[in-house]
Amino acid sequence: MKRATGAKMHGQRGTDEDWKADWAAHKAEWLERRRKRRKTCGEASGYGPMGPPSAFTLLPWLLMGMGAISNVIKGETPNPWIGALGLLLFNSLYITLVFRAFDRRAREAASTRWCLAALGAVTCTLAFVYGGNWLLFFPLWGLATGAVVRGRMLGPVMFAVTTLAAVIAGRDEGWDTLGIAYGTLLSGMVTAAILALSETVKELRDTRQELARAAVDQERLRFSRDLHDLLGHTLSVIVVKSEAARRIAPRDMAAALTQVADIESVGRQALTEIREAVTGYREASLAAELDRARGALTAAGIEPVLRQSGPPLPPQAAALLGWVVREAATNAIRHSGATTCEIEVRSSAERVCLVITDNGNGVGSTPPGSGLTGLTERLAAAGGTLVGGPAPGPARGFRVTAELPVEPAEPEDRAAPAGPTDEESR
């Protein structure tokens, strides 16, 4: 029986020890999470673990008036009912001002200025009549002034408040007047500096968040434009070559297999370009896009005419014009029904002009797509223009004209061999 009782007590002791160990572990884990959460919140807000200052931060300073309250309670103040009414009025005005100080619209309202003036009148009256502990209301008046008044008016207003405090306190306090005046000036200026710094931190944090949102929006826009241009052109080429392979397969299997091989090559190239677009490192090349446009137009039964003249282009201008060539060639293949498409590049030392004209159906009844709209925004951001519309002359057709300023090329860019000028190929 004793052995059973001992075993039971040993089991109970083991359970208690396990529970205490688990409780200690859970408590330590909870405290660590709480510490990390406070640290994270403080760093994220930019104010530290205490958070931004608020009206409640300025309320404890009312304890400086405890001496005056004690005098009223003990009956050491003449006419205690007047003193009590003055204390009630001062505290009400002070609380109203510190709460309105953290709302910009309320802080700049005329009623707030009148409340501050009324607080000054009550402070001067109580200090002039009673003196002693009642003079400590001057630093509180200075604190409320620093919370409400901002900008260039702060200096003159604080000088007037400090002067009044020094004059009224100087009647009876002697050298203690310096302490009252210094406390009034210091409380107002320090409060104004802290609150101004707090507002600056808040504005900087809001600006940082807005810039982050803008960066995300810009990245989404860039990716949507790249994806539209890449997939639109690639799928159009695949469709055209698939139709060509289907048409010629019954009579020329070798030519059909060539078209199938081209489809495979276009698909692999599209995968590479999409990966580059996702990572943000893809830049279209004008020469490569001209070659691709030539092949795609030929496969679609459209005769390409390419003309290029002038000095070589810097990479940025060539990349932007490469996107224009890709989009215009894709639109010609998908929508124009043209038999001829002319692509002309004219460059000089200052500007480069790209003109793409087809002899197709001209402007359709459907509204313009997002491709040319996105390209227009891209070129506008680079200081250029893009205009699309009916081709001039009696014949129907569509023309896209893109112009860009030519930036000076880097030395390594000029090391590349110059292409042929006034070249015309069909």
Side-chain angles (χ1 to χ4, degrees):
M1 186 70 179
K2 291 182 178 180
R3 185 179 301 174
T5 304
K8 183 177 181 181
M9 294 178 62
H10 180 72
Q12 177 94 22
R13 190 180 303 112
T15 303
D16 293 342
E17 291 176 354
D18 293 340
W19 180 84
K20 290 180 180 179
D22 292 342
W23 180 83
H26 288 305
K27 181 180 179 182
E29 183 180 358
W30 177 77
L31 290 175
E32 181 65 18
R33 286 201 306 267
R34 184 180 179 185
R35 184 185 65 81
K36 289 182 178 180
R37 184 168 59 252
R38 286 182 174 179
K39 182 179 179 181
T40 303
C41 293
E43 291 176 353
S45 63
Y47 298 105
M50 297 300 295
S54 64
F56 295 99
T57 310
L58 304 180
L59 291 182
W61 291 101
L62 284 174
L63 295 177
M64 294 179 62
M66 289 300 297
I69 296 175
S70 176
N71 291 341
V72 172
I73 294 175
K74 293 179 179 179
E76 298 176 357
T77 301
N79 300 318
W81 290 106
I82 297 178
L85 181 62
L87 286 173
L88 178 61
L89 186 59
F90 180 91
N91 290 336
S92 301
L93 291 171
Y94 178 87
I95 294 173
T96 301
L97 285 171
V98 296
F99 274 98
R100 294 174 71 89
F102 290 88
D103 184 349
R104 184 172 183 176
R105 183 177 299 178
R107 183 175 68 240
E108 295 176 354
S111 57
T112 303
R113 309 294 182 184
W114 285 109
C115 284
L116 184 62
L119 182 69
V122 172
T123 303
C124 292
T125 301
L126 294 176
F128 183 82
V129 173
Y130 296 117
N133 291 329
W134 299 80
L135 295 174
L136 294 178
F137 287 119
F138 276 114
L140 290 176
W141 182 27
L143 191 149
T145 302
V148 171
V149 181
R150 307 288 172 84
R152 297 180 178 178
M153 291 299 299
L154 178 64
V157 172
M158 283 306 306
F159 177 78
V161 171
T162 305
T163 302
L164 281 173
V167 170
I168 294 177
R171 296 183 310 118
D172 302 318
E173 299 299 322
W175 287 104
D176 292 340
T177 303
L178 296 177
I180 298 296
Y182 178 73
T184 303
L185 178 63
L186 186 64
S187 62
M189 299 304 291
V190 170
T191 301
I194 292 175
L195 296 185
L197 180 61
S198 171
E199 291 183 354
T200 302
V201 171
K202 182 179 182 300
E203 292 176 359
L204 289 175
R205 187 176 70 252
D206 294 341
T207 303
R208 181 177 61 185
Q209 294 176 355
E210 186 64 28
L211 290 175
R213 284 193 295 268
V216 171
D217 292 340
Q218 289 294 328
E219 182 63 16
R220 288 175 178 172
L221 183 60
R222 179 200 67 80
F223 183 71
S224 64
R225 288 172 176 172
D226 288 359
L227 200 61
H228 171 273
D229 296 339
L230 290 172
L231 292 183
H233 175 79
T234 301
L235 294 178
S236 298
V237 172
I238 289 176
V239 169
V240 168
K241 288 187 174 291
S242 299
E243 292 177 349
R246 179 176 54 81
R247 287 196 308 267
I248 65 178
R251 63 178 184 272
D252 191 349
M253 184 58 67
L257 291 176
T258 301
Q259 295 293 333
V260 173
D262 289 343
I263 294 174
E264 180 183 1
S265 176
V266 170
R268 293 183 183 276
Q269 182 65 28
L271 288 175
T272 302
E273 291 177 345
I274 289 175
R275 292 191 188 100
E276 292 173 349
V278 170
T279 56
Y281 292 112
R282 184 183 186 277
E283 288 293 346
S285 169
L286 180 59
E289 294 299 338
L290 289 173
D291 290 339
R292 293 175 186 172
R294 190 204 315 260
L297 291 169
T298 302
I302 302 175
E303 183 181 7
V305 179
L306 307 182
R307 299 187 183 94
Q308 188 170 2
S309 62
L313 301 176
Q316 183 179 6
L320 288 173
L321 294 182
W323 285 111
V324 178
V325 169
R326 172 184 283 260
E327 179 64 23
T330 302
N331 289 340
I333 294 171
R334 296 173 58 185
H335 308 299
S336 70
T339 59
T340 303
C341 182
E342 298 182 2
I343 302 176
E344 183 179 5
V345 181
R346 301 190 302 268
S347 61
S348 63
E350 292 80 17
R351 295 187 72 82
V352 57
C353 179
L354 170 66
V355 181
I356 304 174
T357 309
D358 63 63
N359 63 347
N361 300 325
V363 180
S365 59
T366 58
S370 60
L372 291 180
T373 303
L375 288 173
T376 302
E377 296 174 355
R378 287 191 183 189
L379 268 67
T385 59
L386 187 142
V387 179
R396 301 185 66 184
F398 193 82
R399 171 172 290 183
V400 175
T401 303
E403 291 190 13
L404 273 176
V406 176
E407 298 179 355
E410 298 295 333
E412 57 269 19
D413 298 329
R414 295 192 179 276
T421 59
D422 296 329
E423 178 189 10
E424 181 174 350
S425 59
R426 291 182 180 269

